[in-house]
Amino acid sequence: EYLAKYDEIYTEWAPNEKVAAEVAIGASISGVRSLACMKHVGLNVASDPLYTLAYTGVNGGLVIVVADDPGIASSQNEQDTRMIARSAHLPVIEPSDSGEAKEFFKYAFDLSEKYDTPVFIKMCTRVSHSQSLVELGERVEVSKTYEKNPQKYIMMPGNAKRRHPVVEARTRALTEWAETCSLNRVEEGSDHSRGIITSSTSYQYVKEVCGDRYPVLKLGMVWPMPEKLILDFAASVEELVVVE
C-alpha cells in the first residue's frame, strides 16, 4: 500500500501469489529490481515458480517478502518460511524492527545481484505490525541490461542439470559470507554463565528482559546458518539458550 504512493515505482495487486511472483521474476529478468510481497500461506501458492527461480537466478535484484505468523494471530495455520528456503536453497534475511527492515532490504537487493539469487525477507506478525524510527539515506538508481540467455532462464532438463551445481556452489558461498557479514552480530555481556542466540522480534524481548547482562548472538541472516560463528559463540558461554 505504501509502495503504490511512489509514482516512480510500478506497483500492482496480483490475483494470487503465484502471479505476483511471476510478474516480479519477469521484471527481474528484464533488468530492474523487483519484489513480491505475501504471507506465509501465500508462499505455498508461489512455490511453483519459486523453486525453479532458485535454479535460474536473477538479473535485476529480486526480493520475496514473506510475513510469517508465529502464534497464529491472523492465519489459518503456522508455518516457517526458513524450512521452504532451506529446501529451495535460497537465503533468508530477518529484521527485528523497522529500521533494520529498511537497511536489510538494501542488503537483500545487493546480495541478490551479487550471488545471482532471489532473497527472502522473512517478516513476522509483531515486526510487521509495529513502528520504529528509521534513518533515511540517499537513493541509488540501479538497473541492468537484459541479455538473452536461454541456458540460464529456460529450465528444460538439460539446462536444469547444468544449473544444479551452480545452486549448490552458491549456497556454499552464501554460508561463507554469513560467517562475517554485519547482519549477524555478537553483543557482549557481563555474565558469561549464559549466552543467547535469537533473531527477529524475539531479539527485542531478550533485550527487554536481560538488557546487557548476557552475551547475545543476534542473527539477521537466518539461512544459510553461520555455523562457525554459532559454534564459537557457544564455546564462549557456559549455557546456551535459543529464543524464538
Side-chain angles (χ1 to χ4, degrees), residues 55 158-172:
Y55 274 53
N159 291 338
K161 288 177 182 178
R162 285 188 285 270
R163 292 294 296 177
H164 189 187
V166 175
V167 173
E168 298 292 347
R170 182 182 70 202
T171 301
R172 290 192 295 270

Side-chain angles (χ1 to χ4, degrees), residues 97-111:
D97 59 27
S98 302
E100 278 194 349
K102 185 185 75 68
E103 293 302 319
F104 283 16
F105 265 93
K106 293 193 291 184
Y107 271 102
F109 278 114
D110 290 340
L111 200 65

Side-chain angles (χ1 to χ4, degrees), residues 73-181:
S74 60
S75 306
Q76 58 267 51
N77 64 30
E78 188 176 36
Q79 296 172 200
D80 190 338
T81 294
R82 293 172 298 182
M83 300 300 102
I84 294 178
R86 181 175 179 177
S87 65
H89 299 278
L90 296 176
V92 184
I93 292 175
E94 187 170 25
S96 65
D97 59 27
S98 302
E100 278 194 349
K102 185 185 75 68
E103 293 302 319
F104 283 16
F105 265 93
K106 293 193 291 184
Y107 271 102
F109 278 114
D110 290 340
L111 200 65
S112 175
E113 291 169 351
K114 179 179 179 179
Y115 289 95
D116 190 16
T117 180
V119 175
F120 279 117
I121 292 279
K122 179 182 179 295
M123 303 296 292
C124 75
T125 310
R126 294 296 167 240
V127 177
S128 297
H129 287 245
S130 65
Q131 297 179 348
S132 59
L133 294 174
V134 301
E135 184 176 340
L136 300 180
E138 295 296 324
R139 284 192 176 190
V140 178
E141 294 295 331
V142 178
S143 63
K144 292 193 171 186
T145 304
Y146 167 73
E147 295 181 6
K148 187 175 181 179
N149 189 347
Q151 288 75 29
K152 184 178 190 296
Y153 294 115
I154 301 177
M155 285 299 96
M156 301 297 288
N159 291 338
K161 288 177 182 178
R162 285 188 285 270
R163 292 294 296 177
H164 189 187
V166 175
V167 173
E168 298 292 347
R170 182 182 70 202
T171 301
R172 290 192 295 270
L174 284 165
T175 302
E176 184 176 343
W177 183 82
E179 295 288 355
T180 57
C181 76

Side-chain angles (χ1 to χ4, degrees), residues 169-204:
R170 182 182 70 202
T171 301
R172 290 192 295 270
L174 284 165
T175 302
E176 184 176 343
W177 183 82
E179 295 288 355
T180 57
C181 76
S182 61
L183 301 179
N184 301 322
R185 67 175 185 265
V186 175
E187 298 180 357
E188 286 298 335
S190 57
D191 184 354
H192 279 247
S193 65
R194 177 174 297 156
I196 302 172
I197 298 178
T198 188
S199 64
S200 187
T201 189
S202 300
Y203 165 78
Q204 305 292 356

